[in-house]
Amino acid sequence: MRQQAGQGEMMPDEEQRLRRAFVDKDWNEIKIADSWQIFKVMAEFVEGFEKMSKIGPCVSIFGSARTKPDNPYYKLAEEIASKLVRHGYGVITGGGPGIMEAGNKGARAEGGKSVGLNIELPFEQTHNIYIDQDKCIDFDYFFVRKVMFVKYAQAFVGMPGGFGTLDELFEAMTLIQTKKIGRFPIVLVGSAYWKGLFQWIEDIMLTEESNISPEDMNLVQIVDTASEAVKIIDDFYHKYLLSPNF
């Protein structure tokens, strides 16, 4: 696989980007470029904090942008979002198509808060029509967007997805594992999709190499139905006598 990937040709814009990385820049060029980038990052954080601080308790739903409306996982994400709203939560997604659209659609159908954290990408990502107009935020930087997902969510629901979904999942797991954020529920939906990954984590990462601790396997729970997913989140907060009104 690695050998095949190495034989692929670069797109012209990728080649140009690579060449620019090897061009020497003087200090003035570096200072100007980095200074403006800092201001852009700050602006995204400020806008995100201002809008997200008012949304109340929400659950972030992750998953593939490529999932079609006739896919069972699309319908399941829509059902989960609707149930979450009926239980008092709002829904946060990445704002795009696929699973994200299903999450926003389910929230909108029940009259709940429907938040979309959209990212500008060269393909596949445009914000969906089910996001509340005042809760659609556009980002250029993935790392700023991920802060918003974590900071303003009371739980994560991970649907089947690709690299971006795994990025968001392991970001949350790492922050909880290292105690940078408080423990909250991470629920993965679709045991057929997720069990191979977590079997490898248990067999290799934990048992063979001891790169994680046994208790780290408890950071996520894997389910197959909307009711199971919502019950895990409800049970977690009821244990601490908290409700979506907190």
Side-chain angles (χ1 to χ4, degrees):
M1 181 175 174
R2 183 181 301 170
Q3 189 176 21
Q4 291 175 348
Q7 294 171 352
E9 293 186 2
M10 287 187 182
M11 299 293 288
D13 58 333
E14 293 175 326
E15 184 176 344
Q16 289 300 317
R17 185 179 299 178
L18 181 63
R19 291 183 180 279
R20 284 198 299 271
F22 284 85
V23 175
D24 288 334
K25 300 181 180 67
D26 62 38
W27 171 240
N28 197 46
E29 288 178 298
I30 295 171
K31 185 171 65 172
I32 291 171
D34 288 352
S35 296
W36 278 112
Q37 191 166 34
I38 289 170
F39 285 118
K40 286 176 66 179
V41 170
M42 288 174 59
E44 289 199 359
F45 272 121
V46 169
E47 182 185 9
F49 289 160
E50 284 184 347
K51 289 188 176 182
M52 298 293 287
S53 63
K54 303 170 185 175
I55 64 171
C58 284
V59 175
S60 289
I61 298 179
F62 300 114
S64 176
R66 307 183 189 198
T67 305
K68 303 302 182 187
D70 60 352
N71 186 301
Y73 287 124
Y74 182 104
K75 301 179 187 305
L76 189 51
E78 188 177 348
E79 182 185 356
I80 290 170
S82 292
K83 283 182 178 292
L84 286 169
V85 168
R86 290 198 294 271
H87 285 240
Y89 299 92
V91 169
I92 302 171
T93 80
I99 293 295
M100 297 174 280
E101 177 184 285
N104 290 125
K105 184 178 180 181
R108 170 70 65 84
E110 294 295 325
K113 293 176 182 176
S114 181
V115 184
L117 307 181
N118 193 48
I119 187 86
E120 296 294 329
L121 296 177
F123 61 93
E124 89 183 10
Q125 178 89 5
T126 56
H127 65 78
N128 65 71
I129 62 173
Y130 301 104
I131 304 167
D132 294 345
Q133 190 171 5
D134 62 333
K135 298 180 185 68
C136 182
I137 311 174
D138 291 319
F139 295 90
D140 285 322
Y141 299 100
F142 271 110
F143 69 93
V144 179
R145 182 177 180 241
K146 285 198 292 183
V147 169
M148 304 304 156
F149 275 127
V150 175
K151 183 175 176 62
Y152 295 101
Q154 273 62 58
F156 282 179
V157 173
M159 305 295 297
F163 292 158
T165 300
L166 293 179
D167 180 37
E168 290 149 356
L169 168 64
F170 283 108
E171 171 89 1
M173 292 173 66
T174 301
L175 290 171
I176 294 173
Q177 179 204 46
T178 55
K179 302 190 187 316
K180 293 296 183 183
I181 63 173
R183 177 72 178 266
F184 60 82
I186 301 176
V187 184
L188 301 181
V189 181
S191 58
Y193 190 87
W194 294 108
K195 66 182 180 182
L197 171 63
F198 280 86
Q199 191 63 58
W200 175 84
I201 290 174
E202 183 174 5
D203 293 345
I204 306 301
M205 212 181 263
L206 173 61
T207 305
E208 188 171 317
E209 297 294 340
S210 299
N211 287 331
I212 59 173
S213 302
E215 58 267 24
D216 293 333
M217 296 301 300
N218 299 322
L219 291 174
V220 303
Q221 297 184 66
I222 301 175
V223 302
D224 285 301
T225 69
S227 295
E228 289 174 304
V230 176
K231 185 177 187 301
I232 287 171
I233 296 168
D234 274 345
D235 288 350
F236 179 86
Y237 286 108
H238 289 165
K239 177 181 176 182
Y240 299 103
L241 302 179
L242 296 170
S243 74
N245 296 324
F246 61 81

